[in-house]
Amino acid sequence: MQKLLFISALVISTQAQALTLEQSVAEAINHHPRLQQKYASFEAAVRYKKAAVGDYLPQVKLYGGVGYEEVRYNSGQRVDTDLNRTELGVKVSQLLFDGFRTTSEIDRLEFEQEAERFGLISEAENLSLEVATVYLNLVEANRIVGLAERNIEEHKDILKDIILRQNKGLSSESDVAQVKARVATSQSGYLAARNQQMDLQAKYYDLVGQLPVDLYNAKPDFNYVPTSLKLALEQAVKNHPEIDAAINDTQAASSQYEREKSDYWPKLSIELQANKNDNIGGIEGPDEDARAMLMLSYDLYNGGSTNDRAEAAAWQVQQAKSIRQQTEKQVIEGTRLAWNSYEFVGQQRKFYQVNVDQAVQAEQGYQRQFELGRRSLLDVLDAKVEVYLARKNYLSAYYNYHIAAYRLINATGQLIESFRVDTPNQWQEEK
């Protein structure tokens, strides 16, 4: 049995080490059970198709038997014998015509194989998007933890300064209490950030199979990001593997309908048979024969089963067409949502950058004014919180923008290609 180990260009040890996003995607594709299941289903479909092709070839059967036979009459004549009967024979048959049943069955299995192949590619695309999302969320979480640590240290520095001012009679107990409260709040925010970080580490481990170490600040290849919604929709309908899978499922259903109709036709075959028997029909001694026959069979009536199966297959064609239409609608909807997220988050990021710049400037001004006695301690603390939140919001918008870009590339069915991750030859369309 083949194993799904195909990213040969990326050699990764089993020990924990720093992985790029591309390497993380390769690891997930190589080892995640979800993709292993889809790959096994695809390989099974390949074998089923190969098995169906065998019906074109001659069928050779060897048969034999031995047992006890009691005969009273043979062809109207009284024989009354008890003999040990033996049979040995070989039969070769070659199908000439079966109402296009074999042809339709091979076509059906070919389309099912293609549907499984595109389903495998779609699962790999979606798994890659999950890895990219978790990877960037984790990089963001790491930076937010760093922001939270910095926020704690800055509040502790303020606390030290306020205590010194209190010792000089320039600040009150209430000022100290207020800063201590803000230190506690910053520490609580740090713990929340650490909790989010550890949750994402667990998700990363589930997808990639190892704990994250020193992740890189990954960015998408914007050459794969559509420049307009119209272009995104065109690429999605043209390239998305889910649509290709649904198309092949529809064609498979049509071939199944043709297969069921084959029972309306006669069956024609050539049979070659030779037998070497002993003590047959109550007559003691050898019994040998050989024959070559052109065999014709025609099912005149089978209780209406052929009609029922053909009608059921016709309804399955209609079902597959409806699924195909629904799949395209879902792909279009997903592409529109991905585009909207990419557009609006991109605009948000610019405003958050302005927010950070202005918040930092305001904080610095409040600090100077506080030292001159023109601002209260509360103003300084609030400004500090505003800077922290502004930086946090900008980080969120920055990484959400890149995640939206990956999501848009995924909607057009080109995410794995954008990662430059090689796929096995079995995944490629047969020429």
Side-chain angles (χ1 to χ4, degrees):
M1 180 181 297
Q2 290 183 336
K3 294 184 178 179
L4 183 59
L5 296 172
F6 47 82
I7 314 299
S8 58
L10 299 172
V11 180
I12 304 172
S13 72
T14 57
Q15 297 179 352
Q17 59 176 323
L19 298 182
T20 65
L21 174 54
E22 291 76 12
Q23 289 173 322
S24 299
V25 168
E27 279 289 285
I29 291 177
N30 266 324
H31 302 118
H32 201 280
R34 271 170 38 201
L35 208 60
Q36 296 285 358
Q37 292 173 25
K38 295 294 291 185
Y39 185 75
S41 182
F42 165 68
E43 286 290 351
V46 172
R47 303 308 188 276
Y48 278 125
K49 180 205 166 186
K50 289 182 178 180
V53 174
D55 290 340
Y56 280 137
L57 303 177
Q59 310 295 307
V60 182
K61 295 182 180 179
L62 178 67
Y63 58 90
V66 60
Y68 171 75
E69 181 183 57
E70 179 181 354
V71 179
R72 291 289 178 262
Y73 291 91
N74 186 334
S75 301
Q77 296 182 356
R78 185 177 179 84
V79 179
D80 197 13
T81 59
D82 297 319
L83 299 173
N84 292 321
R85 173 174 176 150
T86 60
E87 296 181 14
L88 181 64
V90 62
K91 179 180 179 181
V92 180
S93 61
Q94 174 62 60
L95 177 67
L96 299 179
F97 179 73
D98 64 350
F100 310 105
R101 183 180 185 85
T102 299
T103 301
S104 299
E105 178 68 359
I106 291 174
D107 288 343
R108 182 183 74 85
L109 293 172
E110 172 72 24
F111 290 129
E112 287 192 355
Q113 174 186 319
E114 281 296 280
E116 290 290 346
R117 184 174 71 86
F118 283 116
L120 172 61
I121 294 173
S122 178
E123 185 66 36
E125 283 274 325
N126 294 335
L127 182 62
S128 300
L129 178 60
E130 290 183 44
V131 173
T133 301
V134 171
Y135 192 100
L136 290 183
N137 281 335
L138 188 50
V139 174
E140 176 193 348
N142 293 341
R143 295 190 64 179
I144 289 177
V145 168
L147 276 181
E149 291 174 340
R150 177 180 173 183
N151 191 43
I152 292 174
E153 293 304 316
E154 289 179 351
H155 276 83
K156 286 183 176 179
D157 289 340
I158 293 175
L159 179 59
K160 291 178 183 178
D161 183 57
I162 293 300
I163 291 175
L164 288 175
R165 291 172 65 89
Q166 182 194 26
N167 294 336
K168 296 177 181 180
L170 300 177
S171 294
S172 64
E173 282 289 341
S174 59
D175 289 337
V176 175
Q178 189 174 65
V179 177
K180 286 183 177 179
R182 293 301 181 94
V183 171
T185 300
S186 65
Q187 290 172 330
S188 175
Y190 167 77
L191 292 177
R194 282 285 291 143
N195 181 56
Q196 176 69 8
Q197 181 189 46
M198 296 181 70
D199 286 348
L200 289 168
Q201 288 174 350
K203 290 181 180 180
Y204 180 92
Y205 181 83
D206 175 66
L207 292 171
V208 180
Q210 56 182 279
L211 290 174
V213 179
D214 297 331
L215 301 184
Y216 298 89
N217 190 22
K219 292 183 179 180
D221 185 346
F222 284 94
N223 291 323
Y224 285 88
V225 178
T227 55
S228 67
L229 176 59
K230 179 182 178 181
L231 182 59
L233 292 174
E234 290 175 354
Q235 291 179 353
V237 172
K238 178 182 178 181
N239 299 323
H240 203 286
E242 282 294 336
I243 293 180
D244 289 326
I247 291 173
N248 279 276
D249 280 334
T250 302
Q251 293 172 320
S254 297
S255 296
Q256 182 174 347
Y257 174 63
E258 295 299 325
R259 184 194 69 181
E260 298 302 339
K261 291 196 302 180
S262 67
D263 287 341
Y264 291 127
W265 293 81
K267 309 297 186 291
L268 185 64
S269 63
I270 293 177
E271 292 186 3
L272 306 176
Q273 188 169 357
N275 299 291
K276 182 177 179 61
N277 307 323
D278 198 32
N279 300 336
I280 302 297
I283 300 176
E284 188 173 0
D287 183 279
E288 300 178 2
D289 67 90
R291 57 184 178 269
M293 303 284 290
L294 182 64
M295 305 295 294
L296 175 69
S297 64
Y298 198 175
D299 193 353
L300 298 178
Y301 179 72
N302 64 353
S305 297
T306 298
N307 290 336
D308 293 335
R309 284 195 295 266
E311 289 178 5
W315 281 110
Q316 287 179 326
V317 173
Q318 295 302 315
Q319 179 188 31
K321 288 180 178 179
S322 298
I323 293 174
R324 156 75 176 83
Q325 294 173 351
Q326 181 64 23
T327 299
E328 183 169 332
K329 288 178 63 177
Q330 290 174 344
V331 168
I332 291 174
E333 178 189 10
T335 304
R336 287 184 179 275
L337 293 174
W339 174 262
N340 292 340
S341 177
Y342 176 72
E343 278 287 285
F344 289 110
V345 173
Q347 295 176 28
Q348 276 185 322
R349 188 178 59 157
K350 299 176 183 178
F351 292 114
Y352 280 130
Q353 180 63 65
V354 174
N355 186 19
V356 170
D357 294 339
Q358 296 303 313
V360 170
Q361 184 176 343
E363 179 202 11
Q364 293 172 349
Y366 280 20
Q367 182 66 40
R368 288 193 297 269
Q369 292 171 10
F370 171 72
E371 293 172 356
L372 297 173
R374 296 171 55 188
R375 285 286 179 180
S376 68
L377 176 61
L378 181 61
D379 291 334
V380 174
L381 294 175
D382 287 344
K384 183 70 66 177
V385 171
E386 182 66 25
V387 169
Y388 171 73
L389 293 177
R391 286 172 172 162
K392 185 177 178 182
N393 289 336
Y394 175 77
L395 282 177
S396 179
Y398 176 86
Y399 288 105
N400 284 340
Y401 176 69
H402 290 132
I403 290 172
Y406 281 125
R407 183 181 168 195
L408 187 55
I409 298 172
N410 169 262
T412 62
Q414 302 177 89
L415 187 57
I416 293 179
E417 181 181 337
S418 74
F419 284 135
R420 310 303 195 272
V421 173
D422 294 330
T423 55
N425 293 331
Q426 296 94 318
W427 289 32
Q428 311 306 317
E429 183 178 4
E430 293 183 4
K431 302 298 184 182

